[in-house]
Amino acid sequence: MNNFSYTQATAAKEATGRLKDQPQAAYIAGGTTLLDMMKANLTEPPQLVDINLLPFKGIEQTKDGLRIGAMERMNAVGENPLVKSQYPAVSESLLLAASPQLRNMASIGGNILQRTRCGYFRDEAFPCNKRVPGSGCPALTGDNHNLAVLGVSDTCIANAYPGDLSVVLAALDAVLTLENAKGKQRQVPVTEFYLLPGKTPEKENVLEPGELIVAVTIPAAAHAQRSTYLKVRERSSYAYALASAAVGLDVQGGTIRSARVALGGVGAQPWRSREAEKALVGQPATEATFKAAAAAALQGAQPRKENAYKVELAQNTLVRALQQVAGV
Amino acid sequence: MDTETAFFETPPQLVAVGQPLSRVDGRAKVTGAAKYSAEYNHLPGLVHAVVKTSDVAKGRVTSIDASAAQREPGVLAILTHQNLPKPAKTAETKEGQEAIGMAVQMTFMPLQSDQVFYAGQPVAIVVADTLEHAQHAAAKLRVTVTPEAPVASYQDPKAKLFNPGGKPDADAEGTKRRGKAAAAFAAAPAQVTATYTHATNHHNPMEPSATIAHWEAADRLTVYDATQGVSWQQRALSGYLGLPQDQVRVITKYLGGGFGCKGPIWPHSVLTVLTAKAVGRPVKLVLTRPQMFTSVGHREDQEQTLRLGATKEGKLLALLHEKTSTTSQWDDYAESNSKMMGMLYQCPAFEATTKLARANVMTPTWMRAPGEAPGSFALESSMDDLAYQLGIDPVQIRLRNYADKDPSTGKPWSSKSLKECYERGAELFGWSKRNPKNGLTRDGKYLVGWGMATATYPVNNSQGNARVRLYADGHAVVQVAATDLGTGTYTVITQVAADCLGLAPDKVRFELGDSVLPTTNISGGSMGAGTFASSVYTAAQDLWQKLTKMAVMDAKSPLFRAKPADVAVVKGRLQLKANPSKGEEFAALMKRGNMTDVEGFGQGKYGAGYETGLATGPAKSDDAGKEDGGGHAMHAFGAHFCEVRVDPELGTIRVTKWVSVVAGGRILNPKTARSQVIGGATMGIGAALMEQTVRDPNLARYTNANLADYHVPVNADIPDLTVEFIDEHDPYVNALGVKGIGEIAIVGTAAAVGNAIFHATGRRLRDLPMTPNKVLAAMSQPV
């Protein structure tokens, strides 16, 4: 770990100002991703700007939907009664993640920005195009059993976001509020926040230098209230998803009126599948419909030797999640 | 001599032994008072070392740029192969190996040349005044290794397979035979042929390996080391350093788990000692968690092909086993899977062959039940196949092949209660309600299945010493240079000593973990409890003999002029066997003689048996593990019963019910013993369902060397395990009849899980770990 200075900001302006002065500085909230990476010499910010005192708080129903301050902690949101009753998939995704200790520390903003668990990215001894652009990607022909099959490129097949929450956010049309150094705020849908690797896997999202995540807003909807998050992993707890599905359905009289689908663990980013949604809306809520939707979601998958199983696993996971939500 | 024999015929009155005493060191652990090896921070001038390791798996160090690192604050030394003091000997020579002894597992010592043979090999050591300074400077240090193409494993197309037979290394056995197995197999009416693979596994104890080296004088060294055996470590270090053994002291008061990886001596311990010599100050080195994957060995990646031939009634006619595994560039190590295959069932013809491939990895090592754990996965899965093929209940087919004598030696068993394990296990589990057809039990989305498997582990207890000091005021100090891995050694030996001395356990203090104490073997191979208990027992006998001699010569004693052989000791009272009312308490005798205390010294009897030990006298401690010295074959046995729920669409497997019944001789403490079995079964379920270290096939470097990505079971993976012991009295294994239970519970566990999966799904998974991708692949195949 490198030497670094540490300052605490009490206002957004102060925090963004620090990063304007020192563009290599990093924000620190819960630190559950950043400190791991610093200890492994994967990132070496000369300065940490602590944003834990920023007033980005609150879990409340607004006219636009559920607004969650970026500095709220994962457990607080996951256990919130409003979230549990109106946005169950959000709560489920948070409580299935990490461990209670980590969830008590990790912020919502930090969760959205967590980095890939690709073993080649996490070990500086390996080449990695995401970490050192142009150095190569051993995962293409190596250990890719838990890497992505959708949205990948021949420079990077990492699931850049390995977590759970953003999969649900992508499904439920959540919008991020961002604030830059000038104090100007903008709204970016989660589905447009993450970038596909293409030839620049080092660029993972649309955040401008120094820009902060202030809040995330999830529109209220029937499909949000009737939503679930299903996670498949190699052990029962404290493991990243091999595949996961966030789904929301509005079913009336056996017919699907609206549907929201996103997949985790299998995409280069949280993978919203509008193809699957198209295959669901207007159709009867049956296994046949769900299977057709799952097939549509995995169209275009680019599996490799060790992760080929994910094509089937992701489809089965999605079908199961849809069955659970539809109650069939 | 006649008095000695008489004493040995008199077992101690067991009062404390067999009781579920809570850990005597529990309070020290939960309050933080227990000091682990990395916690001796009071040493004057203690400084910190950090190991810099090679990124690549093969190559040569072509440049070292220490300029930036040297400028960092607090840096005291940067040591590489160019300037690290050399050890007096290494295990690379035969002479060195003899001096270093049993503890050496990897003969290669890093930092002796510019050559790099495995990823994670130490290439430099940075010493600084604080850990943080050392870490930071290590990050600034540039060691360039020019890479060459490595061999990643036995599966690498570049790998060359060889049969290690003929070499004296007992770990890799070459070829073993009895009868004409190939012909018997070819003629057998029922045949099962199958190939199994086992992923690389790492021990991952909670406590990382750590060494503090303190040169108290130019030729006198004290080492605080996280080791399973202070005596072994002492001898090894004295060999490496060319010092008399008594000038090296090794201390390990508490150990946070070992599972075998802290049994041998590894380079980091030696390098820390050499570093301390170079900087002239006490040096502390703690391995990082990623370094734990490349510094202390592992269970090797391996493939086994097993052929079973049997009669239509399920009686085995032939068993042929081939194993191929990965080893290092120097050592012919392979865990001995065939040992248990040759002895578990009655089978007239048997052949086992080991093949190795050299790869760019460090030397593998003992990991909980080395050989028995992966071997039992193959054997017990194939036995299950045979049972289904012939329509015989899995327990029944094992009973039909029950070995009344050890088939590998022809010797009678010292004791064997495996039938009782099957019976009790089946009863506890409800096995009689099993549906004989597989794939027929559903619970909603889940397929439910039951499976069972046999467990066995040899009795390896061996020579060791003990000292017992009994004070006239009625308390005692008992000393053995043993280690407690966290398994309960402090507690069970306190119980044994209490009964041998006729005292309450709280009047006994058991001291261990220091090489100045009486030399003994490591805690490993399930031999700790048996060895330490026997040596403490014999030390207590020595003490009572001394007091008896005093009494019969003391005119004021009621036993004056009695024959020593006529005197018995009952709960601390010396009395005539024929007339127990005639005698006195030890305290009265000692006080009359103005003795504050009396000492006894004992040597535990050699592992081939208490009976044989008496006849042949003690053997060298180096002979641990040999089984052929006596008239009996000695093994613990057990049976596991497992229920799984398989989600056929998502590929997930959950163990939902578990029963283990173990016959392991005398159980010294049912509470700590139960914990051992729970731990062993849990580790086995981990190996079955999730544990694997993945080595990149091109770069031969691990991709998941951390505890987030190397999965060990969490609480949610493990159901409430039912554990029972069969009451067993074995007069041969050792003085206390202890067989040892540290390893047996992991044996057969993966097979029990796999057999339950087969029952649930009709699909046989033969590749460990049985992760969701493999379940999905199996489910897509026809039954």
Side-chain angles (χ1 to χ4, degrees):
Chain A
M1 187 190 279
N2 61 300
N3 288 328
F4 59 87
S5 63
Y6 168 86
T7 54
Q8 203 166 33
T10 52
K13 191 100 189 156
E14 186 189 350
T16 54
R18 297 270 185 199
L19 255 78
K20 209 172 159 190
D21 297 341
Q22 172 49 278
Q24 300 303 310
Y27 296 127
I28 180 166
T32 55
T33 286
L34 182 68
L35 294 182
D36 275 359
M37 293 191 42
M38 288 174 70
K39 286 181 195 168
N41 301 314
L42 300 175
T43 182
E44 302 187 321
Q47 186 182 8
L48 294 186
V49 180
D50 187 328
I51 56 171
N52 283 299
L53 296 181
L54 299 193
F56 299 165
K57 302 283 255 183
I59 305 166
E60 57 203 344
Q61 193 70 48
T62 67
K63 65 177 174 32
D64 299 323
L66 176 74
R67 188 180 192 281
I68 303 169
M71 292 312 305
E72 289 292 340
R73 307 293 153 171
M74 288 171 71
N75 252 353
V77 180
E79 299 287 4
N80 183 285
L82 171 66
V83 178
K84 281 191 154 175
S85 66
Q86 302 301 306
Y87 305 86
V90 174
S91 167
E92 289 162 18
S93 74
L94 287 164
L95 298 182
L96 287 170
S99 66
Q101 295 87 337
L102 287 166
R103 296 198 298 266
N104 282 331
M105 284 300 291
S107 69
I108 294 300
N111 179 296
I112 291 166
L113 292 174
Q114 67 183 295
R115 308 292 301 276
T116 182
R117 290 303 307 183
C118 174
Y120 300 96
F121 174 81
R122 292 266 163 182
D123 180 352
E124 62 166 345
F126 283 118
C128 171
N129 286 328
K130 188 184 279 298
R131 187 161 33 75
V132 184
S135 61
C137 177
L140 297 175
T141 55
D143 173 18
N144 50 40
H145 88 279
N146 198 15
L147 299 182
V149 294
L150 289 163
V152 294
S153 75
D154 55 9
T155 61
C156 181
I157 56 170
N159 23 16
Y161 174 87
D164 304 295
L165 173 64
S166 283
V167 181
V168 178
L169 298 180
L172 298 183
D173 303 307
V175 175
L176 298 177
T177 302
L178 311 179
E179 182 171 326
N180 68 11
K182 292 181 187 135
K184 207 176 148 218
Q185 294 198 344
R186 61 171 175 147
Q187 312 287 322
V188 176
V190 169
T191 49
E192 290 166 32
F193 178 73
Y194 296 101
L195 297 172
L196 289 177
K199 292 190 184 315
T200 54
E202 71 279 9
K203 186 108 184 78
E204 295 184 335
N205 57 55
V206 301
L207 275 180
E208 290 166 12
E211 203 170 20
L212 279 164
I213 301 176
V214 174
V216 55
T217 305
I218 309 163
H223 55 243
Q225 197 175 350
R226 194 165 173 183
S227 66
T228 195
Y229 181 73
L230 179 65
K231 182 175 181 180
V232 180
R233 43 188 166 172
E234 287 176 354
R235 64 179 166 190
S236 303
S237 171
Y238 195 52
Y240 290 90
L242 299 173
S244 67
V247 301
L249 288 181
D250 179 13
V251 184
Q252 305 211 353
T255 301
I256 300 166
R257 297 290 168 199
S258 71
R260 292 293 181 275
V261 172
L263 298 173
V266 292
Q269 64 185 33
W271 197 258
R272 173 75 176 264
S273 180
R274 295 184 204 273
E275 298 80 3
E277 291 167 10
K278 230 174 275 169
L280 291 166
V281 174
Q283 300 298 317
T286 61
E287 188 172 333
T289 301
F290 299 156
K291 282 188 166 165
L298 271 292
Q299 276 285 320
Q302 294 170 264
R304 301 199 176 249
K305 189 175 170 208
E306 304 295 334
N307 66 6
Y309 73 95
K310 284 198 174 190
V311 176
E312 185 191 353
L313 178 60
Q315 293 186 50
N316 293 355
T317 305
L318 178 52
V319 169
R320 181 71 61 80
L322 289 165
Q323 286 173 330
Q324 282 179 5
V325 164
V328 296
Chain B
M1 204 57 202
D2 62 328
T3 52
E4 191 180 335
T5 307
F7 275 116
F8 283 125
E9 283 167 356
T10 314
Q13 284 72 33
L14 299 181
V15 180
V17 164
Q19 295 302 310
L21 186 66
S22 290
R23 286 161 195 270
V24 297
D25 52 336
R27 190 182 175 83
K29 282 184 171 169
V30 298
T31 58
K35 242 185 195 185
Y36 289 80
S37 298
E39 297 182 316
Y40 291 81
N41 294 316
H42 67 281
L43 298 174
L46 179 72
V47 294
H48 300 263
V50 164
V51 180
K52 178 105 177 164
T53 62
S54 173
D55 290 351
V56 304
K58 188 182 181 192
R60 277 181 192 275
V61 176
T62 44
S63 82
I64 297 167
D65 179 2
S67 52
Q70 215 106 51
R71 282 197 300 275
E72 290 297 326
V75 173
L76 296 165
I78 294 170
L79 300 165
T80 68
H81 69 279
Q82 295 167 346
N83 61 345
L84 181 78
K86 297 273 179 253
K89 293 189 178 81
T90 70
E92 287 162 17
T93 65
K94 186 136 185 59
E95 183 214 356
Q97 269 182 35
E98 272 165 20
I100 292 159
M102 290 286 286
V104 70
Q105 185 74 0
M106 183 161 81
T107 52
F108 171 71
M109 179 59 62
L111 286 170
Q112 308 299 302
S113 83
D114 61 353
Q115 275 189 288
V116 170
F117 296 100
Y118 57 96
Q121 178 183 322
V123 291
I125 294 169
V126 177
V127 188
D129 57 349
T130 68
L131 175 63
E132 290 76 11
H133 281 151
Q135 284 171 334
H136 188 48
K140 299 273 175 193
L141 176 65
R142 293 283 161 257
V143 179
T144 307
V145 182
T146 303
E148 296 161 33
V151 176
S153 74
Y154 71 88
Q155 292 169 305
D156 193 314
K158 298 189 291 294
K160 294 190 187 85
L161 301 183
F162 66 97
N163 183 328
K167 296 201 183 167
D169 186 338
D171 287 322
E173 296 177 303
T175 304
K176 288 197 292 201
R177 278 193 190 91
R178 75 166 178 265
K180 292 188 172 144
F185 174 77
Q191 297 177 340
V192 173
T193 299
T195 297
Y196 301 86
T197 63
H198 197 299
T200 305
N201 277 187
H202 276 82
H203 312 69
N204 281 316
M206 285 225 290
E207 178 205 26
S209 290
T211 307
I212 297 176
H214 182 201
W215 287 92
E216 300 192 43
D219 59 355
R220 203 154 51 81
L221 173 71
T222 298
V223 178
Y224 306 86
D225 199 42
T227 175
Q228 291 173 224
V230 291
S231 300
W232 276 29
Q233 200 81 348
Q234 175 196 38
R235 173 164 171 205
L237 284 171
S238 78
Y240 276 110
L241 299 168
L243 284 177
Q245 213 163 309
D246 63 291
Q247 284 163 234
V248 177
R249 182 178 179 191
V250 178
I251 294 171
T252 309
K253 287 292 178 187
Y254 294 93
L255 201 71
F259 311 114
C261 77
K262 292 172 181 164
I265 189 161
W266 296 108
H268 70 270
S269 297
V270 181
L271 296 175
T272 307
V273 167
L274 298 173
T275 299
K277 190 98 192 168
V279 300
R281 292 168 74 166
V283 170
K284 168 153 79 172
L285 173 70
V286 182
L287 295 181
T288 65
R289 182 58 65 180
Q291 287 173 345
M292 285 297 286
F293 286 82
T294 53
S295 307
V296 292
H298 54 270
R299 196 192 298 281
E300 70 268 22
D301 44 315
Q302 57 190 275
E303 183 178 299
Q304 307 174 70
T305 296
L306 187 63
R307 286 182 286 166
L308 300 183
T311 66
K312 289 275 177 221
E313 294 73 41
K315 292 198 85 149
L316 287 172
L317 298 169
L319 203 155
L320 289 97
H321 179 248
E322 291 167 53
K323 181 188 170 192
T324 304
S325 61
T326 306
T327 189
S328 65
Q329 293 294 314
W330 327 277
D331 303 312
D332 292 353
Y333 179 86
E335 54 183 330
S336 173
N337 300 21
S338 63
K339 226 162 44 184
M340 60 86 61
M341 298 205 182
M343 55 65 65
L344 190 54
Y345 297 114
Q346 189 57 50
C347 180
F350 172 73
E351 184 174 318
T353 304
T354 298
K355 282 188 187 139
L356 293 176
R358 296 209 185 287
N360 290 97
V361 298
M362 75 176 306
T363 305
T365 195
W366 319 307
M367 180 164 165
R368 206 173 200 165
E372 286 81 7
S376 64
F377 175 59
L379 178 58
E380 290 297 280
S381 298
S382 283
M383 286 298 283
D384 204 56
D385 274 337
L386 187 64
Y388 279 96
Q389 190 187 110
L390 299 173
I392 303 170
D393 179 274
V395 175
Q396 270 308 314
I397 200 162
R398 287 166 172 85
L399 289 171
R400 286 185 196 178
N401 290 287
Y402 201 82
D404 292 318
K405 281 195 231 172
D406 177 1
S408 64
T409 62
K411 290 178 187 175
W413 305 107
S414 60
S415 61
K416 178 176 181 178
S417 311
L418 180 54
K419 271 180 191 155
E420 291 81 352
C421 292
Y422 291 142
E423 270 165 31
R424 183 59 182 150
E427 184 186 339
L428 286 166
F429 190 85
W431 187 256
S432 62
K433 297 187 206 77
R434 172 180 172 272
N435 187 331
K437 293 247 185 307
N438 57 23
L440 290 183
T441 309
R442 263 196 179 263
D443 179 7
K445 298 279 182 195
Y446 300 108
L447 299 171
V448 184
W450 290 1
M452 58 80 57
T454 312
T456 187
Y457 195 79
V459 179
N460 288 331
N461 58 50
S462 67
Q463 178 62 342
N465 304 321
R467 182 161 48 230
V468 172
R469 182 184 293 155
L470 176 66
Y471 291 86
D473 70 0
H475 81 282
V477 175
V478 178
Q479 298 176 319
V480 181
T483 44
D484 184 336
L485 276 63
T487 50
T489 310
Y490 270 115
T491 308
V492 298
I493 301 304
T494 298
Q495 290 171 272
V496 168
D499 284 352
C500 290
L501 296 171
L503 301 174
D506 63 1
K507 296 290 180 195
V508 175
R509 188 172 79 240
F510 177 46
E511 297 181 345
L512 55 68
D514 189 334
S515 63
V516 301
L517 302 177
T519 301
T520 195
N521 220 307
I522 64 164
S523 286
S526 298
M527 62 187 158
T531 305
F532 312 146
S534 296
S535 50
V536 165
Y537 170 75
T538 50
Q541 298 309 311
D542 182 42
L543 180 149
W544 293 127
Q545 286 175 48
K546 285 178 181 166
L547 287 176
T548 301
K549 279 177 195 159
M550 264 180 68
V552 299
M553 293 189 291
D554 181 347
K556 292 185 180 159
S557 170
L559 298 170
F560 185 54
R561 287 188 175 160
K563 281 187 193 154
D566 294 338
V567 178
V569 180
V570 179
K571 291 184 184 176
R573 182 181 145 88
L574 294 82
Q575 60 196 30
L576 283 180
K577 286 175 188 167
N579 181 9
S581 68
K582 203 167 176 189
E584 64 177 331
E585 301 290 328
F586 70 86
L589 173 67
M590 286 170 70
K591 277 172 191 156
R592 225 172 28 247
N594 284 326
M595 295 176 76
T596 61
D597 60 86
V598 60
E599 278 193 5
F601 192 83
Q603 291 177 309
K605 295 301 175 186
Y606 176 49
Y610 164 51
E611 174 191 65
T612 313
L614 269 182
T616 61
K620 290 189 309 203
S621 62
D622 278 4
D623 290 338
K626 281 195 185 165
E627 290 164 89
D628 52 2
H632 291 88
M634 301 176 179
H635 277 258
F637 291 92
H640 304 294
F641 292 81
C642 170
E643 178 187 86
V644 296
R645 256 152 226 263
V646 181
D647 188 320
E649 278 102 37
L650 304 184
T652 50
I653 300 164
R654 296 286 174 259
V655 174
T656 46
K657 192 159 102 179
W658 187 271
V659 172
S660 290
V661 178
V662 172
R666 188 185 302 287
I667 299 304
L668 295 172
N669 179 329
K671 196 183 216 175
T672 55
R674 179 173 176 272
S675 296
Q676 284 265 59
V677 173
I678 289 173
T682 300
M683 204 165 180
I685 292 170
L689 296 180
M690 62 194 81
E691 293 197 37
Q692 61 179 325
T693 331
V694 181
R695 211 177 295 128
D696 180 274
N698 305 303
L699 301 170
R701 183 180 175 87
Y702 293 119
T703 62
N704 64 334
N706 63 71
L707 288 183
D709 299 304
Y710 181 97
H711 294 150
V712 298
V714 296
N715 273 318
D717 293 306
I718 306 298
D720 192 10
L721 306 177
T722 299
V723 175
E724 273 199 14
F725 297 97
I726 299 294
D727 199 22
E728 202 175 46
H729 297 283
D730 190 317
Y732 302 111
V733 284
N734 49 48
L736 270 286
V738 174
K739 288 186 173 177
I741 42 153
E743 279 149 291
I744 187 165
I746 197 176
V747 182
T749 297
V753 174
N755 295 346
I757 294 168
F758 184 74
H759 187 234
T761 66
R763 269 79 168 186
R764 177 70 62 185
L765 297 180
R766 304 186 196 272
D767 301 301
L768 296 184
M770 300 181 269
T771 42
N773 55 333
K774 294 170 189 167
V775 176
L776 289 185
M779 293 311 298
S780 71
Q781 300 297 316
V783 176

